[in-house]
PDB file of all heavy atoms in Angstrom:
ATOM      1  N   GLY A  90       4.988   7.032 -61.955  1.00  0.00           N
ATOM      2  CA  GLY A  90       5.697   5.892 -62.544  1.00  0.00           C
ATOM      3  C   GLY A  90       6.452   5.051 -61.534  1.00  0.00           C
ATOM      4  O   GLY A  90       7.499   4.475 -61.878  1.00  0.00           O
ATOM      5  N   PHE A  91       5.941   4.961 -60.281  1.00  0.00           N
ATOM      6  CA  PHE A  91       6.639   4.138 -59.290  1.00  0.00           C
ATOM      7  C   PHE A  91       6.589   2.645 -59.666  1.00  0.00           C
ATOM      8  O   PHE A  91       7.588   1.944 -59.587  1.00  0.00           O
ATOM      9  CB  PHE A  91       6.025   4.357 -57.898  1.00  0.00           C
ATOM     10  CG  PHE A  91       6.222   5.753 -57.385  1.00  0.00           C
ATOM     11  CD1 PHE A  91       5.172   6.665 -57.405  1.00  0.00           C
ATOM     12  CD2 PHE A  91       7.447   6.162 -56.894  1.00  0.00           C
ATOM     13  CE1 PHE A  91       5.352   7.961 -56.940  1.00  0.00           C
ATOM     14  CE2 PHE A  91       7.636   7.449 -56.409  1.00  0.00           C
ATOM     15  CZ  PHE A  91       6.581   8.351 -56.443  1.00  0.00           C
ATOM     16  N   LEU A  92       5.414   2.152 -60.088  1.00  0.00           N
ATOM     17  CA  LEU A  92       5.295   0.754 -60.511  1.00  0.00           C
ATOM     18  C   LEU A  92       6.149   0.499 -61.749  1.00  0.00           C
ATOM     19  O   LEU A  92       6.822  -0.543 -61.853  1.00  0.00           O
ATOM     20  CB  LEU A  92       3.831   0.415 -60.796  1.00  0.00           C
ATOM     21  CG  LEU A  92       3.569  -1.000 -61.315  1.00  0.00           C
ATOM     22  CD1 LEU A  92       3.986  -2.052 -60.291  1.00  0.00           C
ATOM     23  CD2 LEU A  92       2.096  -1.176 -61.697  1.00  0.00           C
ATOM     24  N   MET A  93       6.146   1.456 -62.661  1.00  0.00           N
ATOM     25  CA  MET A  93       6.951   1.298 -63.874  1.00  0.00           C
ATOM     26  C   MET A  93       8.434   1.243 -63.539  1.00  0.00           C
ATOM     27  O   MET A  93       9.199   0.462 -64.126  1.00  0.00           O
ATOM     28  CB  MET A  93       6.663   2.438 -64.851  1.00  0.00           C
ATOM     29  CG  MET A  93       7.437   2.355 -66.156  1.00  0.00           C
ATOM     30  SD  MET A  93       6.898   3.572 -67.369  1.00  0.00           S
ATOM     31  CE  MET A  93       7.130   5.084 -66.482  1.00  0.00           C
ATOM     32  N   GLY A  94       8.867   2.056 -62.585  1.00  0.00           N
ATOM     33  CA  GLY A  94      10.281   2.032 -62.203  1.00  0.00           C
ATOM     34  C   GLY A  94      10.681   0.727 -61.538  1.00  0.00           C
ATOM     35  O   GLY A  94      11.749   0.165 -61.830  1.00  0.00           O
ATOM     36  N   ILE A  95       9.812   0.215 -60.646  1.00  0.00           N
ATOM     37  CA  ILE A  95      10.138  -1.033 -59.954  1.00  0.00           C
ATOM     38  C   ILE A  95      10.184  -2.203 -60.938  1.00  0.00           C
ATOM     39  O   ILE A  95      11.145  -2.982 -60.971  1.00  0.00           O
ATOM     40  CB  ILE A  95       9.106  -1.284 -58.837  1.00  0.00           C
ATOM     41  CG1 ILE A  95       9.252  -0.220 -57.745  1.00  0.00           C
ATOM     42  CG2 ILE A  95       9.287  -2.672 -58.251  1.00  0.00           C
ATOM     43  CD1 ILE A  95       8.170  -0.291 -56.688  1.00  0.00           C
ATOM     44  N   VAL A  96       9.145  -2.342 -61.754  1.00  0.00           N
ATOM     45  CA  VAL A  96       9.095  -3.456 -62.718  1.00  0.00           C
ATOM     46  C   VAL A  96      10.179  -3.293 -63.776  1.00  0.00           C
ATOM     47  O   VAL A  96      10.787  -4.281 -64.221  1.00  0.00           O
ATOM     48  CB  VAL A  96       7.691  -3.539 -63.350  1.00  0.00           C
ATOM     49  CG1 VAL A  96       7.643  -4.641 -64.407  1.00  0.00           C
ATOM     50  CG2 VAL A  96       6.640  -3.784 -62.287  1.00  0.00           C
ATOM     51  N   GLY A  97      10.452  -2.068 -64.189  1.00  0.00           N
ATOM     52  CA  GLY A  97      11.496  -1.861 -65.196  1.00  0.00           C
ATOM     53  C   GLY A  97      12.873  -2.252 -64.691  1.00  0.00           C
ATOM     54  O   GLY A  97      13.657  -2.873 -65.423  1.00  0.00           O
ATOM     55  N   LEU A  98      13.194  -1.872 -63.434  1.00  0.00           N
ATOM     56  CA  LEU A  98      14.489  -2.271 -62.876  1.00  0.00           C
ATOM     57  C   LEU A  98      14.596  -3.791 -62.737  1.00  0.00           C
ATOM     58  O   LEU A  98      15.655  -4.377 -63.004  1.00  0.00           O
ATOM     59  CB  LEU A  98      14.684  -1.609 -61.508  1.00  0.00           C
ATOM     60  CG  LEU A  98      15.079  -0.127 -61.515  1.00  0.00           C
ATOM     61  CD1 LEU A  98      15.126   0.409 -60.095  1.00  0.00           C
ATOM     62  CD2 LEU A  98      16.430   0.059 -62.211  1.00  0.00           C
ATOM     63  N   TYR A  99      13.516  -4.433 -62.309  1.00  0.00           N
ATOM     64  CA  TYR A  99      13.528  -5.900 -62.208  1.00  0.00           C
ATOM     65  C   TYR A  99      13.776  -6.541 -63.584  1.00  0.00           C
ATOM     66  O   TYR A  99      14.621  -7.443 -63.728  1.00  0.00           O
ATOM     67  CB  TYR A  99      12.203  -6.385 -61.634  1.00  0.00           C
ATOM     68  CG  TYR A  99      11.949  -7.860 -61.859  1.00  0.00           C
ATOM     69  CD1 TYR A  99      12.545  -8.818 -61.054  1.00  0.00           C
ATOM     70  CD2 TYR A  99      11.124  -8.286 -62.903  1.00  0.00           C
ATOM     71  CE1 TYR A  99      12.323 -10.175 -61.271  1.00  0.00           C
ATOM     72  CE2 TYR A  99      10.895  -9.634 -63.125  1.00  0.00           C
ATOM     73  CZ  TYR A  99      11.495 -10.575 -62.310  1.00  0.00           C
ATOM     74  OH  TYR A  99      11.278 -11.896 -62.535  1.00  0.00           O
ATOM     75  N   THR A 100      13.063  -6.073 -64.598  1.00  0.00           N
ATOM     76  CA  THR A 100      13.236  -6.628 -65.946  1.00  0.00           C
ATOM     77  C   THR A 100      14.627  -6.356 -66.486  1.00  0.00           C
ATOM     78  O   THR A 100      15.241  -7.207 -67.134  1.00  0.00           O
ATOM     79  CB  THR A 100      12.181  -6.034 -66.892  1.00  0.00           C
ATOM     80  OG1 THR A 100      10.878  -6.210 -66.318  1.00  0.00           O
ATOM     81  CG2 THR A 100      12.236  -6.705 -68.247  1.00  0.00           C
ATOM     82  N   LEU A 101      15.147  -5.143 -66.216  1.00  0.00           N
ATOM     83  CA  LEU A 101      16.488  -4.800 -66.682  1.00  0.00           C
ATOM     84  C   LEU A 101      17.534  -5.706 -66.050  1.00  0.00           C
ATOM     85  O   LEU A 101      18.445  -6.203 -66.732  1.00  0.00           O
ATOM     86  CB  LEU A 101      16.777  -3.341 -66.349  1.00  0.00           C
ATOM     87  CG  LEU A 101      18.169  -2.824 -66.726  1.00  0.00           C
ATOM     88  CD1 LEU A 101      18.287  -2.687 -68.233  1.00  0.00           C
ATOM     89  CD2 LEU A 101      18.441  -1.484 -66.046  1.00  0.00           C
ATOM     90  N   ALA A 102      17.434  -5.948 -64.742  1.00  0.00           N
ATOM     91  CA  ALA A 102      18.421  -6.782 -64.060  1.00  0.00           C
ATOM     92  C   ALA A 102      18.324  -8.245 -64.493  1.00  0.00           C
ATOM     93  O   ALA A 102      19.333  -8.955 -64.516  1.00  0.00           O
ATOM     94  CB  ALA A 102      18.223  -6.677 -62.546  1.00  0.00           C
TER      95      ALA A 102
END
Side-chain angles (χ1 to χ4, degrees):
F91 295 103
L92 177 62
M93 181 172 57
I95 293 173
V96 177
L98 283 176
Y99 163 80
T100 307
L101 178 71

